[in-house]
Amino acid sequence: QVQLVESGGGLVQAGGSLRLSCAASGRSFGIYTMGWFRQSPGKEREFVAGSSSGTNTYYADSVKGRFTISRDNAKNTVYLQMNSLKPEDTAVYYCAARLGYGGSYPEDFGSWGQGTQVTVSS
């Protein structure tokens, strides 16, 4: 397993942008599928975006066109660029990793970061 540490959360006004980072320890980062999930109070953890080895990226419909996942395998880091933020994007955002291709359910992923809070004010 890998250890994951997120950073970059904060408070932003609606329409603004934030970039989250997730640094991974361990070897062979490039073979992992990396995902971003989020969870707000009283709701289940939900998939946001994923990046499998190579150039495959995929998104939840709710963020498509606004969020972009990218990765720098040389730095063992995955990013989530969030633009046009909405109050409903407010949540704790988690980075996750799994061996294998694809995946959009929390149970698909075996390694998790501690989460970073994103708050979007209206």
Side-chain angles (χ1 to χ4, degrees), residues 2 24-34 53 71 73 76 98-99:
V2 294
S25 64
R27 299 179 178 177
S28 303
F29 174 78
I31 69 173
Y32 282 85
T33 290
M34 301 301 297
S53 60
R71 62 195 295 165
N73 289 339
N76 281 15
R98 70 178 297 247
L99 286 172

Side-chain angles (χ1 to χ4, degrees), residues 1-2 4 32-37 45 47-52 58 69 71 94-113:
Q1 292 195 348
V2 294
L4 305 171
Y32 282 85
T33 290
M34 301 301 297
W36 285 98
F37 290 77
R45 193 166 296 189
F47 170 76
V48 175
S51 170
S52 290
Y58 50 104
I69 187 171
R71 62 195 295 165
Y94 296 91
C95 174
R98 70 178 297 247
L99 286 172
Y101 195 82
S104 60
Y105 294 97
E107 54 265 34
D108 293 334
F109 291 77
S111 298
W112 291 86

Side-chain angles (χ1 to χ4, degrees), residues 72-94:
D72 185 337
N73 289 339
K75 295 183 178 179
N76 281 15
T77 301
V78 63
Y79 305 96
L80 185 68
Q81 177 66 45
M82 305 185 294
N83 299 328
S84 302
L85 282 160
K86 305 175 181 180
E88 51 263 42
D89 294 319
T90 296
V92 177
Y93 282 70
Y94 296 91

